[in-house]
């Protein structure tokens, strides 16, 4: 689920790595991005090697979802 969410974030046209709020998320985001990004397998392997605990994974999931929501803009826009 985490890699799929990060993939959605990286493919979003408004995504800018430098605007990501969470330092933990930024640390684990790949450097490349764009509509055609297809690095889920490499990302999954990289996150597996990182040995993240459940709390860190939860943090990454929540913050990835928050970043996607932020890129969509306010709900009343």
């Amino acid at each position: 689920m985490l890699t799929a969410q990060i993939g959605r974030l990286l493919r979003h046209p408004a995504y800018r790595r430098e605007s990501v709020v969470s330092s933990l998320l930024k640390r684990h985001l790949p450097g490349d991005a764009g509509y055609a990004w297809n690095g889920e397998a490499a990302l999954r392997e990289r996150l597996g090697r990182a040995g993240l605990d459940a709390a860190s994974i939860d943090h990454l999931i929540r913050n990835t979802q928050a970043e996607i929501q932020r890129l969509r803009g306010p709900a009343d826009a």
Side-chain angles (χ1 to χ4, degrees):
M1 179 176 161
L2 176 57
T3 55
Q5 290 294 316
I6 289 176
R8 284 183 57 211
L9 175 62
L10 295 175
R11 288 183 189 98
H12 195 286
Y15 168 75
R16 301 294 176 267
R17 190 175 200 284
E18 62 276 2
S19 68
V20 171
V21 175
S22 166
S23 60
L24 180 63
L25 177 57
K26 195 180 287 188
R27 185 178 328 138
H28 291 288
L29 288 174
D32 56 334
Y35 182 74
W37 184 82
N38 62 356
E40 279 92 346
L43 178 60
R44 216 175 351 269
E45 182 181 318
R46 183 172 155 204
L47 291 171
R49 284 193 317 264
L52 300 167
D53 61 12
S56 295
I57 292 170
D58 183 58
H59 173 87
L60 291 172
I61 290 170
R62 283 185 290 107
N63 279 272
T64 302
Q65 292 169 341
E67 290 291 337
I68 292 168
Q69 188 62 40
R70 186 180 60 76
L71 293 175
R72 287 182 180 167
D76 57 356

